[in-house]
Amino acid sequence: MAPASVMPAARRHVSSRRRTEAPRRRPSPSSPPKKLRPMSEILDRAKYAVVERADYSDIICEQCGSGERPEELLLCDKCDKGFHMRCLRPIVVRIPIGSWLCPKCSDHRRVRSFSQKKIIDFFKIEKSGDGKKKCASNQDTRKRRKRSVSLVLLKKRRRLLPFIPSEDPNQQLKQMGTLASALTAMQMEFSDELTYSSGMAPRSANQAKFENGGMQVLSKEDMETLELCRAMSRRGECPPFIVVFDSCEGYTVEADAQIKDMTFIAEYTGDVDYIKNRENDDCDSLMTLLLATNPTESLVICPDKRGNIARFINGINNHTPEGKKKQNCKCVRYSVNGECRVLLVATRDIAKGERLYYDYNGYEHEYPTHHFV
């Protein structure tokens, strides 16, 4: 969607032509009168068409009432009203490509409840008939965490810690339900792995050896931690986080339990594509996967159709000291079995109820975060 100062080029005009109609038959006296739908219902379901104006210089923002900064005004393709990008909630960081609808016209449903069966089907959770086995896995997680802590104390290099899922099954269902609601509202599918789709980058393009300057290799101990967390997630033992909707930040992630420093949070997942194919993409969550020596071979992760909870962890405003203080996790790129992967890890202890933030410009300083809250 172009700013208000630029005349949109692809809107359809309402035609003034009338179609020739056949003469209507008079209803027979015996036929019952037809029930007519109210005009409001017809207009709600009808396809919209916006009539072009001759002059857009009088457009003002519906939120603040100002017409200043016309380069930041977005025009809704349905109601034709203007909105400053920074006045919208959540804030729009980049000018959207293609059509754009304001919050009122888009009418997105933010909350949707999921039954236990739907949650199990949504996340494709592996059914386990032995409850004792699940309890044992939680005990193994705690034992492993204690061993990992001792390694942290004994060695300079810190190791990843596995997350500890909530013990209450109902709480786990609530946590997964909030994620399912957010993914559904964004019209996304759940995926805990990188996806290679037709027409995008093939899996053979994702090789860590192409990284310019080399990429750090995930250690054997951290590899075991990663596999342990993935196995727990497949069983429905999700990390203790919930997804909430904030009027300023949009969907965001909160800790539902105490999270220790260096705890594995999630792997960043989605469709893998070449950066060159996404230069004009308006997705606000593209993640760098591979910075190749040859720029045409560089890759990004695109969580616009598929993804997991990492898609909803917000970024900090790294232009202010207050914004930098909010950071409590980071994304790190690793070579895992020769392939590039992006892991989100806690950088300090995170209290229950605290929201998760990381720096979107950890590797490149191209993302505009100065508008972030």
Side-chain angles (χ1 to χ4, degrees):
M1 180 66 207
S5 58
V6 181
M7 185 73 73
R11 285 181 174 165
R12 293 180 293 176
H13 293 266
V14 176
S15 176
S16 60
R17 296 181 181 179
R18 298 184 63 186
R19 187 174 54 185
T20 303
E21 297 182 356
R24 298 180 180 178
R25 293 182 180 179
R26 293 183 179 180
S28 59
S30 59
S31 61
K34 293 184 177 180
K35 293 183 178 180
L36 301 178
R37 291 184 297 171
M39 183 58 68
S40 59
E41 181 181 344
I42 295 174
L43 291 176
D44 287 340
R45 297 185 179 183
K47 293 183 178 180
Y48 57 87
V50 179
V51 181
E52 292 288 354
R53 302 185 189 182
D55 184 15
Y56 281 86
S57 61
D58 61 340
I59 288 291
I60 63 172
C61 175
E62 295 296 315
Q63 298 291 339
C64 68
S66 171
E68 297 179 357
R69 306 191 310 278
E71 70 280 0
E72 295 184 10
L73 275 172
L74 299 179
L75 293 179
C76 176
D77 281 318
K78 186 172 183 180
C79 67
D80 212 29
K81 295 179 180 179
F83 299 84
H84 280 125
M85 297 166 64
R86 283 188 285 182
C87 292
L88 289 165
R89 294 294 183 268
I91 292 172
V92 177
V93 180
R94 293 173 174 170
I95 296 175
I97 298 173
S99 61
W100 176 79
L101 300 180
C102 67
K104 183 177 180 180
C105 292
S106 60
D107 193 26
H108 286 316
R109 296 200 312 173
R110 297 173 184 170
V111 179
R112 178 182 172 186
S113 60
F114 284 79
S115 64
Q116 179 177 353
K117 183 179 184 304
K118 287 185 178 180
I119 290 176
I120 293 174
D121 294 339
F122 189 90
F123 292 102
K124 299 180 176 61
I125 297 173
E126 297 176 354
K127 295 182 180 180
S128 176
D130 188 1
K132 294 182 179 179
K133 183 178 180 181
K134 183 179 291 187
C135 295
S137 65
N138 288 336
Q139 293 175 358
D140 291 342
T141 302
R142 293 191 186 91
K143 291 179 181 179
R144 178 177 175 79
R145 186 159 189 168
K146 290 179 181 178
R147 289 197 297 268
S148 300
V149 171
S150 63
L151 285 173
V152 171
L153 296 175
L154 293 175
K155 296 184 179 181
K156 292 183 180 180
R157 183 178 177 181
R158 301 194 300 169
R159 305 296 186 186
L160 289 181
L161 303 178
F163 60 78
I164 298 181
S166 301
E167 295 183 358
D168 184 2
N170 293 327
Q171 190 64 19
Q172 292 181 10
L173 289 174
K174 177 184 176 182
Q175 294 161 358
M176 289 186 288
T178 62
L179 174 57
S181 298
L183 290 170
T184 303
M186 300 292 290
Q187 298 180 342
M188 293 174 56
E189 297 177 3
F190 173 75
S191 176
D192 231 4
E193 298 180 354
L194 296 177
T195 308
Y196 301 90
S197 303
S198 176
M200 299 186 188
R203 185 164 187 170
S204 58
N206 182 13
Q207 297 188 41
K209 63 182 181 181
F210 296 152
E211 174 74 13
N212 186 13
M215 182 176 291
Q216 58 181 326
V217 179
L218 192 67
S219 66
K220 180 180 178 181
E221 294 83 359
D222 291 345
M223 185 92 71
E224 292 175 355
T225 299
L226 177 62
E227 291 304 319
L228 173 64
C229 292
R230 290 169 63 87
M232 287 192 293
S233 297
R234 287 193 295 268
R235 294 195 297 265
E237 300 171 30
C238 61
F241 302 109
I242 57 174
V243 183
V244 298
F245 187 86
D246 183 272
S247 60
C248 292
E249 301 182 22
Y251 287 104
T252 185
V253 179
E254 290 183 358
D256 201 30
Q258 178 79 15
I259 307 296
K260 292 293 185 182
D261 183 18
M262 287 302 294
T263 296
F264 169 76
I265 294 172
E267 178 181 354
Y268 208 95
T269 62
D271 292 323
V272 178
D273 201 359
Y274 292 107
I275 290 181
K276 61 183 180 182
N277 296 342
R278 299 282 177 156
E279 289 179 349
N280 298 318
D281 200 310
D282 63 343
C283 178
D284 61 353
S285 299
L286 297 179
M287 172 64 71
T288 302
L289 179 64
L290 170 65
L291 292 175
T293 305
N294 182 356
T296 61
E297 297 178 350
S298 296
L299 302 175
V300 290
I301 303 172
C302 315
D304 48 358
K305 296 180 180 178
R306 283 166 283 271
N308 58 10
I309 199 167
R311 165 69 173 79
F312 301 105
I313 300 178
N314 285 335
I316 62 169
N317 183 336
N318 53 11
H319 295 271
T320 64
E322 293 77 13
K324 294 179 180 179
K325 289 179 182 178
K326 295 166 66 175
Q327 181 175 354
N328 50 21
C329 55
K330 64 179 179 180
C331 62
V332 188
R333 294 186 296 133
Y334 286 105
S335 171
V336 181
N337 294 327
E339 294 184 342
C340 306
R341 307 269 279 276
V342 180
L343 308 184
L344 282 163
V345 183
T347 57
R348 59 174 173 82
D349 290 349
I350 304 174
K352 180 179 180 180
E354 185 179 349
R355 293 184 177 178
L356 273 61
Y357 295 96
Y358 69 100
D359 189 356
Y360 280 6
N361 292 317
Y363 291 98
E364 300 169 284
H365 299 279
E366 297 182 357
Y367 199 91
T369 65
H370 51 283
H371 292 327
F372 284 11
V373 179

